[in-house]
Amino acid sequence: MKIQPQQPSKKVLLFFVLALSVSYQALGVGFMINPTSHLTGIANAGSAVYDGSTAAISNNPAAMSLMSQKQIGGNFSVVVPDWSVNEEWDCSAEGNCADSNVSPVSVIPTVGLIRPMDNDFTWGVGLGAVAGAGLDYGKKFKTRPIITENTLQVVELMNSISWRMDEKWTFGIGVGVLHGSFEQKQDLPSLSDTSVDDITSIVEFVGLAQECEGIPAVVAACRAAALVKSGLNPATAAETIGSLSSYMGGETGTTVDLEGDDIGAEITIGATYEFIPGHRFGLAYHYLSDFTFEGSAKINGQLLSSETSQKPHMTLSWDMPERLVVSGSHKVTNDLNLYWDFERVFFDSFESTDLRMDGFHTMKIDRNFKDANRYAVGGEYGLDEKITLQLGFSYDESPVDDSDRMADIPVDDIFKTAFGAIYQVNDQLNVHGYVSLEFLGDAQVEQLASINGEKLGDSVKFDSDATLYVFGVSFGYKF
């Protein structure tokens, strides 16, 4: 299959659906989340200074030197979403409503080992799923050219070392290896290779025709006007128009299943400073290499080809944001400890995502993300010698404005509240349980996509009601 080189800025518009379809998964990698652990019970407050969990291996290697004994720790969390979509069109009449709950249940396991060494050094290694996300809007949702469903898994192996300089200062560095994989499905109009000269007109026609509603005669007249306005030649595009009409009527078109994976790296450096006994500051900087997910697209049906089955090679580039975390811990009394976090996520480099497929032009999808902050406070209260209670709150700013948000990345601000309890079984073993409620913003979507600065599909407008319920258990064992 060959694509004519003239007017590439217009012809690429039809293929934007392919690039959009993998981006939610990749952004799952881009969200710099802390591993679930004892810290989850205080909403990850104090993440760069907390000395009660092996999560320090990833959060701030310098904090490992605050732990005087060899210990192993682990966590198992279950994320139960309650995520509904509020369409701003009559989806019941059009037959393109989203499923009642568009996000599936996911699990997040972690395990880590910290071992003090000679000469004031401490070593640690951790393994776990650091991201797991997905959406399932359903096969008929209006965004099906972009996404019907997707899943993501990201596993990290982190190797860290820290050094205690004196009673006040500790320093650390960690190097991690990431493996990310994704699968994404969508449903596109079936287009044969005879349609290739009409790509620009077809895309414009579909966008205009989506606005047509009313009785059949009115819809037919509206689509006829859209045909004229788009400049589509009925003599050469009749077959394509028929395919598009069936597709817009709810028929399945060409299904595309995108799969890819990549290996990435993370470097974390940090320090802690105890300026007076019981009061510490912590600082951690996280750098992740950019990803290029590589895999294939399984195409069942005609997609600008006479072939009804294709499997082209594909790659997706993804710029990863850096993170800076400042934390504090304060021993108020023998029973009460308070923690806080300030985190800056440098999302301003996330301007676009690029997809390359054999036989297609490179897709550049505008993202226009911006730097965002996270704020967290929490506390632990020792009820007695066995039980410690936890409470925490956090707020994550949205990294994208409503005008730039797309259905494939429906992220917004997040407010979290967490409750936990630690039970000290004996001098060596403790077990921990927690519940975290995460209230996502309305995630207003006002477009289908933005390509090279041009916003498309303004009939796609919806918001969400989303709450994530996170349940987990952790343990710590000292040798």
Side-chain angles (χ1 to χ4, degrees):
M1 178 183 66
K2 294 183 179 179
I3 296 178
Q4 301 295 326
Q6 66 266 25
Q7 294 183 324
S9 61
K10 293 182 179 179
K11 289 189 174 183
V12 297
L13 296 180
L14 180 62
F15 308 119
F16 77 89
V17 291
L18 298 173
L20 287 170
S21 62
V22 294
S23 25
Y24 180 79
Q25 298 299 356
L27 191 60
V29 179
F31 285 148
M32 304 294 99
I33 61 173
N34 291 312
T36 49
S37 66
H38 288 63
L39 275 160
T40 310
I42 51 176
N44 285 313
S47 62
V49 293
Y50 194 77
D51 61 0
S53 171
T54 55
I57 297 166
S58 298
N59 290 339
N60 183 6
M64 297 191 305
S65 287
L66 304 176
M67 306 176 196
S68 59
Q69 292 180 259
K70 178 181 177 181
Q71 57 185 289
I72 187 172
N75 174 272
F76 184 84
S77 298
V78 178
V79 182
V80 182
D82 181 8
W83 192 323
S84 60
V85 170
N86 306 308
E87 299 89 346
E88 295 184 18
W89 65 90
D90 192 351
C91 70
S92 297
E94 297 181 17
N96 54 12
C97 296
D99 287 350
S100 58
N101 192 349
V102 302
S103 186
V105 175
S106 59
V107 297
I108 307 174
T110 61
V111 65
L113 169 68
I114 291 178
R115 179 175 182 176
M117 303 163 61
D118 296 334
N119 301 318
D120 297 319
F121 284 93
T122 301
W123 169 77
V125 61
L127 175 67
V130 298
L135 288 172
D136 188 353
Y137 284 112
K139 295 182 179 180
K140 298 297 183 181
F141 192 50
K142 198 170 186 175
T143 63
R144 62 181 171 139
I146 302 173
I147 172 178
T148 58
E149 63 177 291
N150 58 22
T151 57
L152 170 72
Q153 291 181 331
V154 181
V155 178
E156 178 188 51
L157 176 64
M158 194 74 171
N159 192 40
S160 300
I161 192 167
S162 65
W163 173 59
R164 176 176 283 280
M165 187 177 73
D166 54 33
E167 292 185 357
K168 293 182 177 293
W169 286 97
T170 69
F171 300 90
I173 184 170
V175 178
V177 178
L178 299 172
H179 176 262
S181 62
F182 72 87
E183 180 179 8
Q184 175 110 4
K185 299 178 181 179
Q186 72 265 23
D187 181 10
L188 307 171
S190 296
L191 302 174
S192 68
D193 53 355
T194 60
S195 307
V196 67
D197 291 333
D198 300 311
I199 292 177
T200 303
S201 297
I202 291 170
V203 173
E204 186 175 357
F205 169 77
V206 173
L208 293 170
Q210 283 183 337
E211 304 294 337
C212 297
E213 57 184 15
I215 62 176
V218 173
V219 171
C222 177
R223 289 183 177 178
L227 185 68
V228 174
K229 187 174 182 180
S230 65
L232 194 65
N233 185 345
T236 60
E239 179 182 352
T240 301
I241 295 303
S243 175
L244 287 170
S245 297
S246 298
Y247 176 81
M248 293 173 61
E251 296 294 327
T252 299
T254 294
T255 60
V256 180
D257 187 350
L258 293 146
E259 297 183 8
D261 63 359
D262 190 27
I263 299 295
E266 178 179 359
I267 298 176
T268 300
I269 58 175
T272 69
Y273 175 66
E274 188 166 5
F275 54 97
I276 58 176
H279 298 266
R280 299 191 187 109
F281 289 143
L283 178 71
Y285 169 78
H286 301 263
Y287 168 81
L288 277 82
S289 63
D290 294 336
F291 282 87
T292 301
F293 293 98
E294 184 172 3
S296 62
K298 299 177 182 178
I299 302 173
N300 293 316
Q302 292 183 319
L303 184 63
L304 294 181
S305 172
S306 59
E307 300 178 13
T308 58
S309 179
Q310 302 179 67
K311 194 175 181 181
H313 175 265
M314 57 156 288
T315 62
L316 174 75
S317 64
W318 196 269
D319 293 335
M320 303 298 289
E322 302 168 16
R323 301 165 52 211
L324 179 66
V325 183
V326 181
S327 303
S329 66
H330 307 278
K331 189 177 184 63
V332 180
T333 68
N334 289 333
D335 299 323
L336 178 63
N337 290 295
L338 300 180
Y339 304 90
W340 56 267
D341 247 25
F342 169 78
E343 178 176 357
R344 182 73 166 177
V345 183
F346 298 98
F347 265 121
D348 62 344
S349 63
F350 188 61
E351 298 178 352
S352 65
T353 52
D354 300 340
L355 176 74
R356 295 173 176 84
M357 287 182 56
D358 292 350
F360 296 85
H361 289 292
T362 298
M363 301 293 96
K364 186 176 290 292
I365 313 302
D366 305 315
R367 294 303 178 188
N368 301 322
F369 272 43
K370 58 186 180 180
D371 294 348
N373 297 329
R374 180 181 68 90
Y375 312 91
V377 294
E380 292 184 333
Y381 180 76
L383 192 62
D384 54 37
E385 293 182 355
K386 292 283 189 180
I387 301 175
T388 299
L389 302 180
Q390 297 179 309
L391 177 65
F393 305 92
S394 71
Y395 174 73
D396 298 30
E397 296 176 344
S398 173
V400 62
D401 295 328
D402 288 354
S403 60
D404 292 315
R405 188 178 295 109
M406 301 182 199
D408 62 325
I409 313 178
V411 295
D412 204 346
D413 51 4
I414 305 174
F415 175 76
K416 302 177 185 178
T417 179
F419 313 87
I422 303 171
Y423 180 72
Q424 194 70 40
V425 180
N426 52 45
D427 291 341
Q428 294 177 297
L429 175 65
N430 70 75
V431 293
H432 171 235
Y434 58 83
V435 176
S436 176
L437 306 180
E438 304 185 4
F439 303 95
L440 282 64
D442 62 10
Q444 180 71 42
V445 173
E446 300 176 351
Q447 61 177 338
L448 187 61
S450 177
I451 312 295
N452 295 326
E454 181 180 358
K455 296 183 182 298
L456 305 173
D458 59 5
S459 66
V460 177
K461 293 183 179 180
F462 65 90
D463 59 36
S464 301
D465 294 321
T467 303
L468 305 183
Y469 301 89
V470 184
F471 307 92
V473 292
S474 305
F475 78 92
Y477 185 82
K478 298 178 180 180
F479 294 86

